[in-house]
């Protein structure tokens, strides 16, 4: 049977995962299928049961299933357990599935691919949603000495800081949290096409600090443009998206794919076409 993998979500048409995985399948000459499957919350359990007997090597999980899928899986790896969300599922054999989360390693790999991540200075995370949770796990894992978190809804920031040691700063005073940091991460959806830009005064941010935005539609957000103008090194959000895909592909198809400039251009073309 030809190996199968895919992505489930509701909706799923916006997902760039098919474009990424099909590029690698073609590049590596692997005979396999990667499909986008629209699955409503009501059909999640039935779909997983169907996948158990359908020759699936595994699949990616996108909104709204990243948390609700957890009780339906047979195992969770420690990263997914720490984050409380699954974006990659791997078949273990005998119809069993393991849930993983590749957003945290993907985020770190993206930073490391562009420039060394500074672990001697504090980092500031803006946002406390699902992506911020994965980033907090990644920063803790990397050994960052101090993590500051700020979010519009302070209660959500405090909930995150109870799982991963961090200092919670008021959203109203978010510009003050930039003092002395070596890494600034926008993990809110502000700056995304159709959303307001992230409003923040960068004057206290050291010029040596790396600024990264996990929003990738558009690739160059207002935050990244402003950071570049004042001389800060920047890392865009596309790298995280591409590097998080490596773990699933390797587990499903038995070959480690490469995040190349050709892949970036291939995915970027779809992003620009959609904008
Ligand atoms: P969530 O919905 O879980 O979280 C959204 C976050 O944005 C929350 O912190 C929310 O704050 C904040 N936010 C939204 N609107 C506003 C606003 N008007 N003012 C202030 N804060 C606001 O989304 P995710 O965490 O899943 O995703 C966040 C972004 O990251 C998205 O743009 C997504 O596309 C991108 N992303 C990129 C990835 C990549 O690989 N590059 C991976 C995953 C996500 P509050 O809690 O107060 O509502």
């Amino acid at each position: 049977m030809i190996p199968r993998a895919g992505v489930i979500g509701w909706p799923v048409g916006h997902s760039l995962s098919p474009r990424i995985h099909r590029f690698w399948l073609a590049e590596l000459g692997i005979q396999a299928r990667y499909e986008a499957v629209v699955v409503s919350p009501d059909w999640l359990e039935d779909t997983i049961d169907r996948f158990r007997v359908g020759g699936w090597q595994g699949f990616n999980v996108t909104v709204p299933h990243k948390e609700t899928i957890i009780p339906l899986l047979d195992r969770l790896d420690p990263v997914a357990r720490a984050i409380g969300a699954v974006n990659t599922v791997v078949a273990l054999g005998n119809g069993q599935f393991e849930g993983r989360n590749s957003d945290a390693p993907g985020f770190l790999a993206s930073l490391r691919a562009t420039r060394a991540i500074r672990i001697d200075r504090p980092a500031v995370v803006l946002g406390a949603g699902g992506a911020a949770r994965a980033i907090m796990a990644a920063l803790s894992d990397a050994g960052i000495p101090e993590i500051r978190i700020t979010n519009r809804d302070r209660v959500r920031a405090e909930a995150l800081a109870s799982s991963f040691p961090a200092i919670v700063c008021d959203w109203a005073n978010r510009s003050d949290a930039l003092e002395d940091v070596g890494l600034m991460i926008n993990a809110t959806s502000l700056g995304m096409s159709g959303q307001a830009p992230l409003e923040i005064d960068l004057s206290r941010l050291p010029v040596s600090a790396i600024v990264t935005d996990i929003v990738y539609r558009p690739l160059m957000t207002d935050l990244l443009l402003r950071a570049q103008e004042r001389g800060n090194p920047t890392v865009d959000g596309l790298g995280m998206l591409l590097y998080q895909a490596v773990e699933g592909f390797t587990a499903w198809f038995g070959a480690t794919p490469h995040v190349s400039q050709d892949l970036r251009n291939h995915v970027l073309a779809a992003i620009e076409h959609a904008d």
Side-chain angles (χ1 to χ4, degrees):
M1 198 187 290
I2 186 163
R4 282 173 102 175
V7 53
I8 62 166
W10 192 60
V12 78
H14 65 285
S15 173
L16 291 165
S17 293
R19 200 165 171 92
I20 299 170
H21 290 285
R22 288 174 190 161
F23 179 93
W24 281 333
L25 288 172
E27 184 176 61
L28 294 166
I30 296 173
Q31 293 294 315
R33 281 159 62 179
Y34 187 96
E35 301 158 33
V37 185
V38 62
V39 178
S40 72
D42 291 349
W43 281 97
L44 183 61
E45 190 163 359
D46 284 353
T47 304
I48 307 297
D49 287 342
R50 196 160 47 83
F51 283 3
R52 289 182 196 281
V53 292
W56 288 72
Q57 309 301 117
F59 51 94
N60 287 123
V61 183
T62 187
V63 282
H65 305 311
K66 288 183 174 189
E67 289 160 19
T68 48
I69 197 170
I70 290 176
L72 306 176
L73 300 171
D74 305 285
R75 249 172 51 184
L76 266 194
D77 86 347
V79 182
R81 182 167 296 115
I83 296 170
V86 162
N87 74 342
T88 303
V89 173
V90 175
L92 300 170
N94 303 326
Q96 297 213 319
F97 282 134
E98 177 179 80
R100 302 185 184 178
N101 193 310
S102 63
D103 275 339
F107 172 74
L108 279 185
S110 164
L111 282 184
R112 288 184 172 132
T114 39
R115 45 185 56 85
I117 167 170
R118 297 197 57 165
I119 57 162
D120 57 336
R121 299 263 295 276
V124 62
V125 178
L126 295 110
R133 202 169 175 87
I135 286 166
M136 295 289 282
L139 296 177
S140 300
D141 190 45
I144 300 280
E146 179 185 312
I147 305 171
R148 300 173 193 161
I149 180 165
T150 179
N151 190 54
R152 178 179 61 175
D153 177 349
R154 189 181 166 105
V155 174
R156 287 184 89 188
E158 280 166 357
L160 257 189
S162 68
S163 307
F164 306 99
I167 298 165
V168 178
C169 307
D170 262 350
W171 182 249
N173 303 328
R174 56 194 177 278
S175 305
D176 298 344
L178 303 181
E179 191 103 45
D180 297 331
V181 304
L183 177 62
M184 169 187 178
I185 304 128
N186 176 36
T188 72
S189 46
L190 290 170
M192 210 170 124
S193 304
Q195 284 242 24
L198 169 66
E199 283 177 24
I200 188 162
D201 176 2
L202 298 180
S203 57
R204 291 185 182 211
L205 183 73
V207 177
S208 60
I210 297 160
V211 177
T212 182
D213 200 328
I214 67 161
V215 168
Y216 52 81
R217 291 181 207 260
L219 191 65
M220 285 310 290
T221 59
D222 176 68
L223 170 68
L224 293 183
L225 290 170
R226 287 199 295 132
Q228 278 184 359
E229 263 168 31
R230 64 194 295 281
N232 287 93
T234 60
V235 179
D236 64 56
L238 185 54
M240 177 177 172
L241 180 75
L242 302 181
Y243 279 99
Q244 66 74 30
V246 171
E247 181 171 342
F249 189 96
T250 308
W252 304 325
F253 304 123
T256 306
H258 179 52
V259 175
S260 62
Q261 189 59 46
D262 282 351
L263 174 67
R264 266 184 74 90
N265 293 343
H266 181 68
V267 175
L268 210 46
I271 292 173
E272 280 163 1
H273 182 72
D275 284 344

